[in-house]
Amino acid sequence: MQKVYFDNAATTQLRPEVITKMVSVLEEDFGNPSSTHGYGRSAKNHIEHARKNIASRLGVSASEIIFTSGGTEADNLVINSAVRDLGVRHIITSKIEHHAVLHTVQEIETRTEASVSYVSVQKNGAIDYEHLESLLDKSNNKTLVSLMHINNEVGTMLDIERVGDLCKKYNALFHSDMVQSIGHYEVDFNKIHVDFTAVSAHKFHGPKGVGFAYIRKNSGLKPLIFGGEQERGYRAGTESVHNIVGMDEALRLSYENLEQEKSYIIELKQYFVETLKHNIKGVKFNADCCTAGHSTYTLINICLPVSNEKAGILLFHLDINGIASSKGSACQSGSSKGSHVLTEILSEDDMQKPSVRFSFSKYNTKEEVDYTVDVLKKFIES
């Protein structure tokens, strides 16, 4: 049995160079970065060096990068603090956001701290930009727009510059979860009007358990976690030095090799698409996930022509054949509920059929594609 990992949107394997860097820090620079002795200063230097590197790559100042445990914490920090500290009383989002955003917004609405509006989503997975402008135009309260740059289930890309311009026009704050885009696309925050974002290292071959929030300077946001004065007071708790260093190294390598690796993955994705079309009659590609410019190059989400009786065991069948994939995001893979994203964009008939997400990295091969499509074909025909 061949082993194939096609679930890179859930997490990616560490680059060897990242492991080497992290081990070196664990062995040699184990001091608490808040300590004033030499061991502590050495650890602190690693953190600040990483912060400056990351900020430079994104075109921001080092003071605007706040290290967190990952994207979920960063999303929670920004949204909750915006309501509590910045006077936000209206949140505009969509029903296909990551649950780190949706559940946070729903909790705020339950506590009646802010009203929530949901921008319409089209069948191709894109938001309705005219509806967004209409919601902004009608809003009488301070507003936060929270829309993700790349959808983690179907890969739809937000026109982030257009949304940023709309938010600027209507004096709204703009938060974008960029967990699926940072490390895969060049981003310069000097060119887009984004006030806050969330990033997670393990999406670009870095370690799990670390990420960062970009918080535009002088925003007025205040901490949610209290204790020490780490992270400029935004986030108390001893920093995970080796993870931060690993994230910095992973991001450096991702951007240094971006064009080469992006070209390779684009070709691999296209090969997957063509091989599926050739071998599986009736396969559908959800949310225009094969359209360049509309969807990310890192994943596809497909709907397979399988009967209801067999749909429930598809992922199990792939797994026992050594193939890692996902029915949606890994965060909900253990849930019996259907994908909230696909529920918004698929027809009722297609919702009765199994949809699977395959996501790619530099470590995947065409041989793995051939094997996976063969397993799918045999399952459908059996």
Side-chain angles (χ1 to χ4, degrees):
M1 180 183 69
Q2 190 170 343
K3 296 194 73 174
V4 178
Y5 187 76
F6 275 142
D7 202 17
N8 291 279
T11 196
T12 53
Q13 71 181 83
L14 286 167
R15 294 179 189 262
E17 301 94 330
V18 172
I19 297 173
T20 299
K21 198 87 169 182
M22 292 173 66
V23 169
S24 174
V25 171
L26 284 167
E27 291 178 341
E28 300 173 13
D29 298 287
F30 52 84
N32 188 318
S34 294
S35 298
T36 57
H37 49 60
Y39 290 94
R41 292 196 304 273
S42 180
K44 184 69 170 178
N45 284 339
H46 278 299
I47 291 175
E48 295 312 317
H49 183 69
R51 195 189 314 276
K52 290 177 182 177
N53 287 342
I54 291 169
S56 177
R57 292 186 186 103
L58 300 179
V60 302
S61 68
S63 63
E64 295 174 305
I65 301 297
I66 305 301
F67 294 126
T68 67
S69 64
T72 294
E73 183 189 336
D75 285 332
N76 274 258
L77 166 63
V78 167
I79 297 170
N80 278 301
S81 184
V83 172
R84 186 193 62 185
D85 304 316
L86 305 185
V88 167
R89 294 296 176 264
H90 181 207
I91 300 173
I92 299 174
T93 187
S94 82
K95 292 185 178 179
I96 64 170
E97 299 301 302
H98 192 282
H99 279 144
V101 169
L102 281 181
H103 288 172
T104 302
V105 167
Q106 289 162 2
E107 177 63 22
I108 288 170
E109 187 176 34
T110 299
R111 299 196 303 254
T112 66
E113 296 174 356
S115 62
V116 180
S117 298
Y118 294 96
V119 63
S120 298
V121 178
Q122 303 173 81
K123 291 304 179 182
N124 64 359
I127 69 159
D128 185 330
Y129 295 97
E130 292 182 1
H131 185 224
L132 172 60
E133 181 162 16
S134 173
L135 291 173
L136 284 165
D137 185 44
K138 294 176 183 177
S139 183
N140 297 316
N141 295 305
K142 189 163 186 179
T143 300
L144 172 71
V145 173
S146 182
L147 295 169
M148 66 199 314
H149 188 198
I150 294 176
N151 187 274
N152 57 305
E153 290 195 31
V154 294
T156 308
M157 296 186 68
L158 182 76
D159 187 339
I160 198 166
E161 292 187 18
R162 182 175 180 180
V163 174
D165 289 343
L166 284 173
C167 289
K168 188 174 183 179
K169 177 181 178 181
Y170 291 96
N171 199 31
L173 295 168
F174 182 24
H175 162 252
S176 184
D177 183 313
M178 301 183 76
V179 165
Q180 295 291 339
S181 56
I182 297 294
H184 302 287
Y185 290 89
E186 293 281 2
V187 177
D188 186 347
F189 287 112
N190 283 316
K191 298 179 180 178
I192 52 176
H193 182 77
V194 177
D195 297 288
F196 316 107
T197 194
V199 179
S200 193
H202 71 105
K203 305 297 186 179
F204 48 84
H205 304 292
K208 298 174 184 65
V210 67
F212 63 86
Y214 160 68
I215 300 175
R216 192 177 291 279
K217 66 179 66 175
N218 302 319
S219 68
L221 251 59
K222 296 180 181 179
L224 294 182
I225 300 175
F226 298 91
E229 293 300 315
Q230 293 91 346
E231 294 306 296
R232 292 163 171 77
Y234 276 110
R235 196 227 188 218
T238 303
E239 298 95 336
S240 183
V241 183
H242 65 290
N243 276 334
I244 291 170
V245 169
M247 174 168 62
D248 176 33
E249 181 72 355
L251 196 60
R252 179 184 73 82
L253 292 168
S254 291
Y255 282 124
E256 285 186 0
N257 298 286
L258 183 61
E259 292 308 313
Q260 178 184 352
E261 292 177 1
K262 183 177 180 180
S263 296
Y264 176 79
I265 296 170
I266 288 173
E267 183 180 350
L268 186 72
K269 175 180 174 177
Q270 188 58 38
Y271 181 73
F272 203 153
V273 169
E274 295 304 322
T275 306
L276 282 167
K277 289 178 178 178
H278 181 74
N279 287 277
I280 301 177
K281 185 178 180 181
V283 65
K284 293 183 179 180
F285 298 90
N286 296 327
D288 290 348
C289 64
C290 301
T291 305
H294 174 79
S295 179
T296 181
Y297 65 93
T298 57
L299 69 85
I300 56 173
N301 192 301
I302 64 173
C303 181
L304 293 167
V306 176
S307 64
N308 289 343
E309 293 75 19
K310 296 176 68 175
I313 63 169
L314 174 58
L315 284 183
F316 173 73
H317 180 77
L318 289 170
D319 188 31
I320 63 173
N321 281 278
I323 301 167
S325 59
S326 175
K327 70 176 182 180
S329 66
C331 309
Q332 65 179 32
S333 59
S335 171
S336 60
K337 298 179 181 179
S339 160
H340 68 289
V341 175
L342 296 180
T343 299
E344 286 296 310
I345 64 176
L346 294 189
S347 67
E348 190 172 332
D349 286 343
D350 283 343
M351 279 300 295
Q352 304 306 312
K353 301 170 186 174
S355 287
V356 187
R357 182 189 69 183
F358 295 98
S359 46
F360 318 110
S361 82
K362 65 186 288 291
Y363 294 109
N364 293 124
T365 67
K366 289 183 178 180
E367 289 73 22
E368 291 176 335
V369 170
D370 292 335
Y371 174 73
T372 300
V373 174
D374 186 57
V375 169
L376 287 171
K377 183 179 181 181
K378 289 177 180 177
F379 175 78
I380 292 170
E381 294 176 348
S382 63

